[in-house]
Amino acid sequence: MAIERASKPRAAQKEPRAAQKRSSAREAGATPEPWSALLEEGRQDGRLVRESREGPGSARLVEPPPELHPDVLAALTRMGIAQLYSHQAAALHSAWAAPTIVTTGTASGKSLCFNLPTLDVLCRDPRARALYLYPTKALAQDQARALAAFGLSERVRPAIYDGDTPRESRAQIRRRANVVLTNPDMLHVGILPHHDAWGELFANLAVVVVDEAHVYRGVFGSHVANVLRRLRRIASAYGTEPRFLLTSATIANPLELAERLTGLDGVRLIDEDGSPAPGRRIAVWNPPLTDELLGTRRSALAEAAELLAQLVAGGARAICFMKSRKGVELLSRMVREELRDHPELAERVEPYRAGYTPQQRRALEERLTQGELRAVITTDALELGIDIGELDAAVVVTFPGTVASLRQMWGRAGRRGRGLALYVAGEDALDQFFCRHPEDFLERPVEAAILDHESPQIHLAHLLCAAFEGPLSSEDAEVLGPRWEAYAETLVSAGGLRRRTASTGRGARDAGAANGTGRTTYVPRNPGDYPAATVSLRSASPDSFAIIELESGELLGTTEAARAHSTVHQGAVYHHQGRAYEVRELDLEHRRALVAAFDGDWYTQPKRETDTTIERLLDRREVAGVRLSFGEVAVTETVLAYQRRRVQDHAQVDLVALDLPETSFSTQALWYELDSATLAQSLPGEKLLGALHAAEHAQIAVLPLLAMCDRWDIGGLSTNLHPQTQGPTIFIYDGHPGGVGITRTAYLRFEELCRDAHALIAECPCTSSGGCPSCVQSPKCGNLNEPLSKAGARMLLAGLLERAVIAAA
Ligand SMILES: [Zn+2]
Ligand SMILES: [Zn+2]
């Protein structure tokens, strides 16, 4: 969908008779939907664990505000948009008054919410400029086409400026374009440091659009929050204060996210969706248990292959989402195999993954829109352009990590008044928790997008970049925060900055500097350095290892030094953008891992020895009968060996010893101390350790419900005697150096963390004493899931909850 149409006359007129027939057939009780039989089967044997209906709802339409510039009004008329959805008009009014974030549903016409105010400004002021930020190149491409479709080429000149933009076109884009579409990485490394070349843009910057803002969380979000502050600082040096307009998927904390990302106060929220919800059925599907004791289920992949084949055979057009690229290939093959009796259909099932050229992408999207392709299987909603229209069914195989992305994927389903949004659960703890509590997940936004722009290493790195863009001075407190000077002093001690006593006036280069005399500013110690080049927005620490493909010599990416030993040790199977590699050599001296494409059927899990040392206590409270603390810890880790396990059944293939030195990093953590005397009665000796360990795993498994993150972003340690606390203690720490606020959220919402972890364990049907992968076993445990006591953890957490209830009563 290139352009949102407030009223959809074409779609409505296309098949009025067919639509009527269909709805009367449904009313009569005969459901001609391609998934009726399949759902009935699931209802009978219990695999369908939840179903509900959404929509179809009716649109709330309003007249476009007459204050809009006549050219924009005329463009809307030309495009057949006679009316706006109510939220689009509300967003327009809000955008005129204050920074705004819009969080209405997928396909609700969110881009019109920021395009209208932007076009309005550009039509009024020929010098005005706008900057659009997208997390992926494909999305920027799509938006450039959407802008062009307004047909305002006299006044609106969009251009994409990213890593793919040819050098020879760059100067012209800087001069001519008045909507620059880019990504945060390019803004950080290619635009802000060269702001003098972009003087026209910054001196006239009226609007900054941040689309898909929920993507900016965790490490990436903490970086982007700094980049946006640097952007505001440079704009201010050129005399502008752009209006920020954001959009986000539905999350628990949209206003907080907008304010933390931009550093602005008084952001307004538009969340009342006036678009007509498409009619769709929601179905949550759990593959059957194959082993009660071990808690194993039929694989989600096999289950999904069967379901997709049935959908395709029934005449549905479907899209299917999976996490890994390998999974995408495998599932495509399996679906075709299922359709072996219908070769004409089997040919119309295709994988769609990163790595295709734009032309190949467009061709596939074209075949899908035209209905020639029946099913496409892909890795990530954001990898798609948007031009594929709506499909009958969207199938999500295994939990994509957040409900926000699940909803985004489901949003593809619903065409001509019918649709199926199906989720097939995997065996992971969150998947199974979801199956037992679908309402909790679906009826309220549960996850918050967390970031911390003052995460030390990230913030210091950007302060250095900011100083390169213009000397830091007292004027910067407003944008960089009141603690900027203390951080600047840290950089002086570390040798990155030096103090300078300013005495003369400055040009635009000296952004943000005061023009008084004798005031101290901070400038880079080595003016020849280019700090942005050494800061990657995707990693917490500039201290990193390069990951290089052995055969081609190509740099695939980098990994934080603190995580290198555990993720890219020799022999590790390493996943990068959905593709698997095997590490052939970890070169500690040159800080690089040499990898080769991997096609084996095993994965690896490192065995580690971890210690935590409490470095600084920041907050403490008594809760649920424990002493709960939040602060900074040093995590010291030695990777001792790794286990190779078969993908199909997780069985151990072998254990390979490694000889790696110890590593250490500082981060944020919560820890809680349990009373050993109370515990000793119910959980003697070895059982205590298993209980602590299993409780820690369960809490880490459910933490992504509170703060959008991956369990791989969090680490844990449990011990029956910590040298500093002198008793049984459980630590949960941010896995990235410095931390980005995830464990702070967990600290503040500790009671919920205990409640969810307890439910996860208590409700898991497995009967094995060591639990199963759907409850207390962790795929990343450094102790290879030894020892674990499911019953002990259940008892321990029940005790905490009991005391929390007593305290609350
Ligand atoms: Zn279990
Ligand atoms: Zn563990």
Side-chain angles (χ1 to χ4, degrees):
M1 180 192 59
I3 306 134
E4 303 84 357
R5 289 170 195 278
S7 53
K8 294 182 172 163
R10 282 200 308 159
Q13 280 155 20
K14 236 180 210 164
E15 291 178 277
R17 283 189 37 222
Q20 271 166 20
K21 252 191 229 157
R22 223 170 256 120
S23 64
S24 54
R26 195 158 51 225
E27 276 154 31
T31 41
E33 293 169 338
W35 39 82
S36 300
L38 168 162
L39 293 180
E40 186 50 38
E41 225 177 280
R43 251 172 244 133
Q44 297 295 332
D45 59 24
R47 285 178 296 167
L48 181 58
V49 295
R50 191 230 198 212
E51 58 179 324
S52 63
R53 257 179 199 288
E54 273 183 4
S58 47
R60 275 192 304 271
L61 297 167
V62 297
E63 298 299 316
E67 309 93 294
L68 255 182
H69 190 276
D71 288 2
V72 182
L73 285 170
L76 287 175
T77 309
R78 265 201 311 279
M79 293 160 80
I81 302 177
Q83 290 178 301
L84 299 178
Y85 296 139
S86 54
H87 66 270
Q88 293 171 328
L92 178 59
H93 285 291
S94 172
W96 277 330
T100 298
I101 182 163
V102 180
T103 64
T104 51
T106 313
S108 62
K110 263 188 279 198
S111 12
L112 210 56
C113 295
F114 53 76
N115 279 337
L116 288 181
T118 304
L119 296 173
D120 185 61
V121 169
L122 299 182
C123 286
R124 280 175 205 289
D125 177 1
R127 284 168 312 147
R129 303 292 175 104
L131 185 70
Y132 280 29
L133 290 177
Y134 279 89
T136 70
K137 290 176 187 170
L139 289 171
Q141 296 277 358
D142 204 72
Q143 193 53 239
R145 280 192 295 274
L147 280 168
F150 281 88
L152 291 166
S153 54
E154 299 267 294
R155 300 192 185 264
V156 180
R157 299 178 303 278
I160 293 171
Y161 192 89
D162 61 24
D164 297 342
T165 308
R167 275 199 188 272
E168 57 276 17
S169 341
R170 294 188 173 188
Q172 217 219 334
I173 290 173
R174 286 197 289 264
R175 258 197 325 273
R176 217 186 105 68
N178 62 356
V179 186
V180 174
L181 299 110
T182 187
N183 51 57
D185 309 75
M186 194 62 177
L187 178 61
H188 154 68
V189 78
I191 298 179
L192 290 172
H194 303 293
H195 57 81
D196 22 15
W198 289 89
E200 277 292 298
L201 174 90
F202 288 113
N204 298 289
L205 189 58
V207 179
V208 175
V209 168
V210 183
D211 206 357
E212 307 278 357
H214 61 281
V215 173
Y216 306 125
R217 59 181 193 262
V219 169
F220 189 30
S222 305
H223 276 289
V224 173
N226 278 280
V227 173
L228 293 180
R229 281 166 177 79
R230 278 163 55 202
L231 169 65
R232 286 179 50 213
R233 175 174 181 262
I234 294 298
S236 145
Y238 284 85
T240 53
E241 211 176 304
R243 172 62 33 86
F244 276 76
L245 307 176
L246 303 90
T247 73
S248 162
T250 312
I251 51 171
N253 63 339
L255 281 176
E256 184 189 53
L257 172 67
E259 298 189 348
R260 286 192 176 179
L261 259 182
T262 61
L264 294 165
D265 294 327
V267 178
R268 295 189 187 175
L269 172 66
I270 303 293
D271 60 355
E272 280 195 30
D273 198 331
S275 68
R280 73 169 71 108
R281 202 184 267 273
I282 305 270
V284 175
W285 193 276
N286 202 4
L289 270 173
T290 51
D291 187 326
E292 292 260 338
L293 174 72
L294 300 173
T296 44
R297 292 177 181 273
R298 184 173 188 229
S299 95
L301 214 65
E303 196 75 13
E306 228 177 79
L307 294 170
L308 270 169
Q310 283 190 54
L311 286 171
V312 169
R317 258 192 264 167
I319 186 160
C320 175
F321 296 99
M322 282 212 63
K323 259 179 262 177
S324 82
R325 211 191 277 201
K326 194 167 175 184
V328 163
E329 300 289 346
L330 200 59
L331 184 58
S332 308
R333 277 207 299 277
M334 290 164 75
V335 177
R336 290 199 195 125
E337 176 60 21
E338 290 280 341
L339 287 168
R340 59 190 168 270
D341 296 336
H342 308 276
E344 74 292 350
L345 288 176
E347 276 166 21
R348 297 161 83 178
V349 175
E350 290 279 357
Y352 177 116
R353 47 175 169 68
Y356 287 146
T357 66
Q359 290 83 345
Q360 286 170 319
R361 281 164 175 272
R362 291 292 150 209
L364 272 174
E365 285 166 3
E366 195 66 48
R367 283 178 68 198
L368 193 60
T369 323
Q370 316 257 304
E372 190 199 322
L373 266 192
R374 287 302 183 73
V376 69
I377 299 159
T378 185
T379 45
D380 186 338
L382 288 182
E383 275 182 9
L384 287 162
I386 299 173
D387 260 334
I388 55 161
E390 285 158 347
L391 303 162
D392 300 305
V395 181
V396 181
V397 187
T398 73
F399 191 57
T402 64
V403 175
S405 43
L406 179 66
R407 283 205 168 278
Q408 206 159 26
M409 293 168 181
W410 273 355
R412 300 287 182 179
R415 200 167 59 100
R416 295 179 296 186
R418 64 173 197 186
L420 174 70
L422 178 65
Y423 158 64
V424 183
E427 65 170 358
D428 197 62
L430 266 191
D431 283 72
Q432 289 304 314
F433 196 60
F434 189 165
C435 280
R436 289 191 294 266
H437 301 276
E439 279 74 21
D440 281 9
F441 281 73
L442 297 176
E443 278 163 25
R444 63 191 164 95
V446 284
E447 305 132 339
I450 306 294
L451 61 90
D452 177 6
H453 89 278
E454 286 192 29
S455 175
Q457 301 206 31
I458 294 174
H459 189 53
L460 289 173
H462 286 277
L463 212 54
L464 210 55
C465 297
F468 176 87
E469 289 150 13
L472 301 168
S473 77
S474 56
E475 306 260 293
D476 285 319
E478 198 187 321
V479 172
L480 299 179
R483 289 170 293 277
W484 76 272
E485 194 158 10
Y487 289 111
E489 284 296 332
T490 308
L491 285 168
V492 170
S493 316
L497 292 181
R498 66 181 176 84
R499 274 183 228 99
R500 188 174 77 180
T501 306
S503 53
T504 53
R506 281 159 220 94
R509 172 113 215 148
D510 289 6
N515 52 16
T517 51
R519 290 175 67 182
T520 301
T521 60
Y522 295 83
V523 295
R525 175 157 304 232
N526 301 311
D529 286 355
Y530 188 64
T534 61
V535 179
S536 156
L537 303 192
R538 321 275 168 159
S539 130
S541 150
D543 190 8
S544 65
F545 276 55
I547 296 166
I548 294 165
E549 189 173 22
L550 200 53
E551 203 176 313
S552 62
E554 191 195 337
L555 176 69
L556 295 176
T558 58
T559 184
E560 283 159 17
R563 291 151 77 94
H565 293 193
S566 55
T567 53
V568 291
H569 57 78
Q570 185 158 350
V573 174
Y574 174 77
H575 291 267
H576 180 73
Q577 292 188 344
R579 192 174 274 183
Y581 297 90
E582 187 175 34
V583 179
R584 294 296 168 79
E585 189 194 342
L586 175 63
D587 180 351
L588 293 177
E589 192 192 340
H590 299 103
R591 308 176 78 73
R592 60 184 189 176
L594 302 171
V595 305
F598 174 74
D599 204 26
D601 65 345
W602 70 86
Y603 63 95
T604 55
Q605 191 172 352
K607 182 169 161 58
R608 295 174 285 195
E609 198 171 73
T610 307
D611 281 314
T612 49
T613 312
I614 300 163
E615 291 187 322
R616 196 149 77 105
L617 177 70
L618 295 171
D619 203 356
R620 173 168 279 173
R621 61 190 178 110
E622 300 288 330
V623 57
V626 300
R627 184 149 80 162
L628 174 67
S629 307
F630 174 74
E632 289 167 13
V633 299
V635 177
T636 309
E637 192 176 85
T638 313
V639 180
L640 305 167
Y642 68 94
Q643 204 177 37
R644 290 200 293 175
R645 287 164 161 260
R646 264 208 309 266
V647 173
Q648 303 94 299
D649 54 3
H650 308 294
Q652 178 177 336
V653 180
D654 55 6
L655 184 75
V656 184
L658 291 166
D659 180 23
L660 286 167
E662 161 186 299
T663 58
S664 179
F665 67 99
S666 290
T667 188
Q668 297 171 332
L670 73 79
W671 62 93
Y672 59 99
E673 300 161 47
L674 296 126
D675 178 24
S676 49
T678 327
L679 286 175
Q681 298 156 13
S682 48
L683 297 164
E686 177 76 350
K687 204 168 177 206
L688 173 62
L689 210 50
L692 294 167
H693 190 199
E696 170 218 317
H697 279 191
Q699 285 179 319
I700 290 175
V702 295
L703 180 45
L705 294 178
L706 302 183
M708 290 164 91
C709 64
D710 194 284
R711 76 194 280 160
W712 301 89
D713 293 333
I714 318 159
L717 175 99
S718 36
T719 165
N720 54 3
L721 180 65
H722 190 269
Q724 283 168 296
T725 66
Q726 291 293 316
T729 311
I730 293 180
F731 287 82
I732 295 176
Y733 56 86
D734 251 305
H736 296 279
V740 288
I742 292 168
T743 53
R744 184 193 299 272
T745 304
Y747 168 80
L748 295 172
R749 298 172 66 181
F750 185 71
E751 293 89 333
E752 286 165 79
L753 195 66
C754 294
R755 196 194 59 212
D756 288 347
H758 178 260
L760 175 76
I761 297 176
E763 295 164 357
C764 186
C766 73
T767 49
S768 149
S769 61
C772 76
S774 303
C775 57
V776 298
Q777 291 181 10
S778 161
K780 54 161 292 192
C781 177
N783 272 323
L784 306 176
N785 288 309
E786 286 291 330
L788 287 176
S789 165
K790 182 185 176 185
R794 184 176 175 174
M795 200 187 300
L796 192 156
L797 289 165
L800 294 189
L801 288 175
E802 216 169 278
R803 286 190 288 274
V805 171
I806 293 167

